[in-house]
Amino acid sequence: QVQLVESGGGLVQAGGSLRLSCTVSGRTRYNMAWFRQARGDERDFVAAISWGVGMTYYADSVKGRFTVSRGDGTNTLNLQMNNLRPEDTAVYYCAAKRGAPRDLGVRDSYDNWGQGTQVTVSS
C-alpha cells in the first residue's frame, strides 16, 4: 500500500514563507500534486509536477508565489510557499498517481493521498 506523509505546515504571518514536503513510499515514479481544502470548501488544486521531465503546473491563485519541486531520484515532493496570504489558510494534501502525466490538476484522477498538514496564515 502506498503511503504519503506530509510535513512542514504551521502558523505564519501574512507575507511569510513555509515549505511543505511529502514523501511517497515505494520505488514507482509518480506524478505528484498538492491540493488544499479550506474549512467548508472543496479540495482544490494548488500545484503539480509530472514524473520524468518534471513539468510543473499551478493554480492561478498561487502562480509566482509557490514553487513545486521534487527531490532528485526520489518520490519526495516539495512546495515552497512565499508571500503567503490569509486566503492560503487550508489543510494541504499531497497526492500521487501513476501513468501518463495528464489531468494533473484533476482531484478525482488521484488515488493516493496523504493525511494533510495545516497551514494557517494570520493577517
Side-chain angles (χ1 to χ4, degrees):
Q1 183 176 355
V2 176
Q3 290 188 323
L4 287 74
V5 179
E6 301 107 332
S7 62
L11 173 65
V12 65
Q13 289 188 331
S17 298
L18 281 175
R19 183 178 177 88
L20 305 183
S21 293
C22 171
T23 300
V24 181
S25 64
R27 300 173 63 88
T28 303
R29 295 294 179 252
Y30 292 92
N31 302 295
M32 302 179 74
W34 290 98
F35 288 76
R36 66 186 181 187
Q37 187 168 17
R39 186 174 298 178
D41 288 346
E42 294 187 347
R43 192 171 299 186
D44 295 326
F45 170 70
V46 175
I49 187 166
S50 66
W51 73 277
V53 297
M55 292 292 293
T56 57
Y57 307 86
Y58 297 94
D60 288 343
S61 59
V62 306
K63 281 181 182 176
R65 300 187 299 124
F66 291 12
T67 302
V68 64
S69 63
R70 64 193 312 159
D72 291 338
T74 68
N75 278 333
T76 300
L77 180 70
N78 303 303
L79 185 68
Q80 178 66 41
M81 305 185 293
N82 298 327
N83 192 19
L84 283 160
R85 305 167 180 168
E87 54 263 39
D88 294 318
T89 295
V91 177
Y92 284 69
Y93 295 90
C94 174
K97 64 177 180 177
R98 292 178 290 179
R102 57 173 175 255
D103 297 332
L104 297 189
V106 178
R107 177 189 62 205
D108 293 342
S109 72
Y110 289 86
D111 51 3
N112 300 290
W113 292 88
Q115 293 297 311
T117 184
Q118 176 71 46
V119 171
T120 303
V121 184
S122 63
S123 57

